[in-house]
Amino acid sequence: MAPCAGDGCAFAAAALLSALMRMQPCATLWQDHAATNYFQHCQFVGAEPVMDFVAALSAVGSKCVLAQSKPPLTDKDVGCIAEALRDSGIVELHLTGNEITMNGAEDVAAALRINQNILRLSVGDNSVSDEGALSFAAALKDNTTLAWLDLQG
């Protein structure tokens, strides 16, 4: 089988994930919705989907470690993750040691305003800047479930 490439890759992956989730009786509609949104947003912005994140989307209460990714996650990647994070059941997300700037931080902070499932978030050792940190502070006015936020580094 030829490797997946180009625009069709994201749609093929989304279709496969959707089909697999329909086979599992415990999969909920919103989990499928989050994964579909993720793949569609990745395709729209031209980002490569991060399959570890897709796996975490499929389980309620999951932990997703994307720290020091190879290649490092960029704002474009994190924008896609943030879009799906709005509807996900992920409770712990580690994005430490990537190439995330203020723009990526603002995307994740905007998702936190909506997501009331995430309990732990780590975005340290990135280039988030003071403005990005302020975005997280503002998001915490709406998010009452986040118990741990790491911005060190």
Side-chain angles (χ1 to χ4, degrees):
M1 176 179 279
C4 184
D7 291 341
C9 182
F11 283 122
L16 176 61
L17 179 65
S18 180
L20 288 172
M21 292 182 77
R22 280 194 295 275
M23 293 170 50
Q24 299 174 7
C26 64
T28 62
L29 181 59
W30 63 265
Q31 290 165 309
D32 189 36
H33 178 71
T36 300
N37 278 350
Y38 176 66
F39 281 114
Q40 288 175 344
H41 196 74
C42 284
Q43 191 211 20
F44 180 73
V45 301
E48 190 68 31
V50 179
M51 298 315 286
D52 287 343
F53 182 70
V54 174
L57 283 174
S58 67
V60 175
S62 62
K63 174 181 177 179
C64 184
V65 178
L66 301 175
Q68 300 172 342
S69 294
K70 301 290 182 218
L73 298 176
T74 65
D75 288 340
K76 186 189 296 188
D77 301 313
V78 173
C80 297
I81 289 169
E83 187 66 30
L85 193 62
R86 296 170 187 260
D87 298 325
S88 83
I90 293 173
V91 297
E92 192 168 330
L93 179 61
H94 297 271
L95 299 169
T96 304
N98 285 288
E99 294 179 358
I100 303 167
T101 70
M102 175 188 71
N103 294 328
E106 288 174 346
D107 289 342
V108 174
L112 282 179
R113 289 179 176 272
I114 297 165
N115 181 304
Q116 296 295 312
N117 294 315
I118 194 157
L119 303 172
R120 296 175 62 93
L121 175 64
S122 176
V123 290
D125 292 326
N126 283 288
S127 300
V128 170
S129 79
D130 291 343
E131 291 84 4
L134 288 173
S135 296
F136 286 112
L140 293 176
K141 292 178 184 175
D142 297 318
N143 184 308
T144 58
T145 57
L146 188 68
W148 185 78
L149 175 61
D150 174 16
L151 296 172
Q152 286 187 330

